[in-house]
Amino acid sequence: MTISFDDFLKVDIRVGCVLRAEPFPEARKPAIKLWVDYGDEIGVKKSSAQITKHYTPEELIGRQVLGVVNFPPRQIGPFMSEALVLGIPDAEGEVVLLGPGQDVPLGGRMF
């Protein structure tokens, strides 16, 4: 399936910085709750991510990540997820987060 460039632009992917991260024991699959600052225009959005194989909550603080910020909020157990943090599966299918190779301004949009 192919999409147009206009379709691609509808997906708002921004860089954010993880401000807070906590274990999410109520999730069906092991996950971490994240609070990500996407800059002044968008602000802080919450996300739940199944990233426990490669990350601990403590080491995520201050990390820049890419996330889709224009999905509607989604209830995940008792937690409302407001953005989708992006990652790619490793050889075992465990998620590795996507982020810029160097620090960039928060809220920068991926093109």
Side-chain angles (χ1 to χ4, degrees):
M1 175 212 292
T2 61
I3 63 170
S4 71
F5 187 70
D6 287 339
D7 289 335
F8 171 74
L9 290 177
K10 291 177 186 174
V11 181
D12 193 357
I13 300 172
R14 305 283 182 124
V15 66
C17 180
V18 178
L19 297 178
R20 183 172 153 199
E22 298 177 359
F24 190 7
E26 304 90 353
R28 280 184 280 157
K29 294 183 180 178
I32 298 175
K33 295 187 279 189
L34 303 172
W35 286 259
V36 181
D37 181 1
Y38 288 101
D40 291 339
E41 181 184 344
I42 294 170
V44 176
K45 290 193 173 258
K46 298 181 297 184
S47 184
S48 169
Q50 295 174 3
I51 54 174
T52 58
K53 294 294 182 187
H54 291 296
Y55 307 97
T56 64
E58 298 78 24
E59 69 187 277
L60 291 166
I61 306 300
R63 182 186 187 100
Q64 287 194 326
V65 295
L66 291 174
V68 178
V69 298
N70 64 335
F71 281 144
R74 182 175 177 193
Q75 190 74 42
I76 301 175
F79 188 73
M80 183 64 73
S81 184
E82 302 166 323
L84 175 66
V85 176
L86 299 176
I88 297 176
D90 66 10
E92 285 78 42
E94 301 296 339
V95 177
V96 175
L97 292 171
L98 292 176
Q102 56 188 342
D103 281 349
V104 297
L106 297 183
R109 186 167 183 178
M110 189 187 87
F111 291 102

